[in-house]
Amino acid sequence: MIFGTPPIPPGPEGAQLGFLPNPEMAYTGNPTLTDEQIEGVVALALGPGAERDVFYTSTVRRTDGIARRYMVDAVLAGLQVDQRELVATSPVPLAIINGADDPVINLDYIDSLTYRSLWTPRPLRLAGAGHGPHWQRHEQFNELLRGFLGSLD
């Protein structure tokens, strides 16, 4: 199961296809974030007003900054596999659940892809959720996760 991440081809072109332009994304690969940037990351993930979520904010604060940098650098350098090709050809069952109001990923791009083993007829969008559907709509998300897991052999 994936959420909040588009299956993209390698390189900057893939990032441009799968992610929406957002000025807040400019610093997400920085090894060190300011308090304001941490609040921005939380707001991107959980929507307006999320800055007050102490647990999520402390989690972003504890994240290893080198991991953030490696993730962004690897995507921009094209070091990952062609994820778009992978979802089109892999026989492994795949569930995709995203927030309908995700400000980070291009949901229309995700919907346009070809999938070999998608669990549902098309990727799912949870109403009232942004980039963190597992957090914002945890009961509905967990129900879908249980359904997906229950469908596996």
Side-chain angles (χ1 to χ4, degrees):
M1 176 181 280
I2 62 173
F3 63 93
T5 185
I8 57 174
E13 309 81 32
Q16 289 174 346
L17 288 170
F19 294 91
L20 299 171
N22 190 316
E24 301 290 333
M25 293 292 287
Y27 57 78
T28 58
N30 291 355
T32 304
L33 298 177
T34 66
D35 287 344
E36 184 179 327
Q37 290 170 334
I38 290 170
E39 289 180 13
V41 169
V42 173
L44 273 177
L46 302 180
E51 303 84 78
R52 293 186 185 97
D53 190 301
V54 176
F55 174 79
Y56 212 93
T57 300
S58 68
T59 301
V60 172
R61 189 177 307 282
R62 289 190 326 266
T63 299
D64 185 342
I66 295 171
R68 277 194 303 272
R69 172 175 263 166
Y70 284 160
M71 179 182 65
V72 171
D73 287 352
V75 168
L76 295 179
L79 300 178
Q80 82 274 18
V81 300
D82 187 335
Q83 300 162 357
R84 181 174 57 187
E85 178 68 20
L86 182 66
V87 299
T89 60
S90 175
V92 176
L94 174 64
I96 301 178
I97 301 172
N98 291 304
D101 302 320
D102 193 315
V104 177
I105 61 171
N106 183 344
L107 297 173
D108 293 335
Y109 164 78
I110 294 171
D111 288 348
S112 75
L113 298 179
T114 299
Y115 299 95
R116 177 173 174 190
S117 300
L118 193 61
W119 176 52
T120 52
R122 70 176 79 111
L124 300 176
R125 296 183 185 193
L126 296 186
H131 195 61
H134 65 297
W135 189 262
Q136 295 168 294
R137 297 289 176 257
H138 60 274
E139 290 179 9
Q140 186 180 10
F141 184 91
N142 287 339
E143 182 180 317
L144 291 166
L145 175 58
R146 282 190 293 275
F148 173 62
L149 294 174
S151 73
L152 301 176
D153 292 334

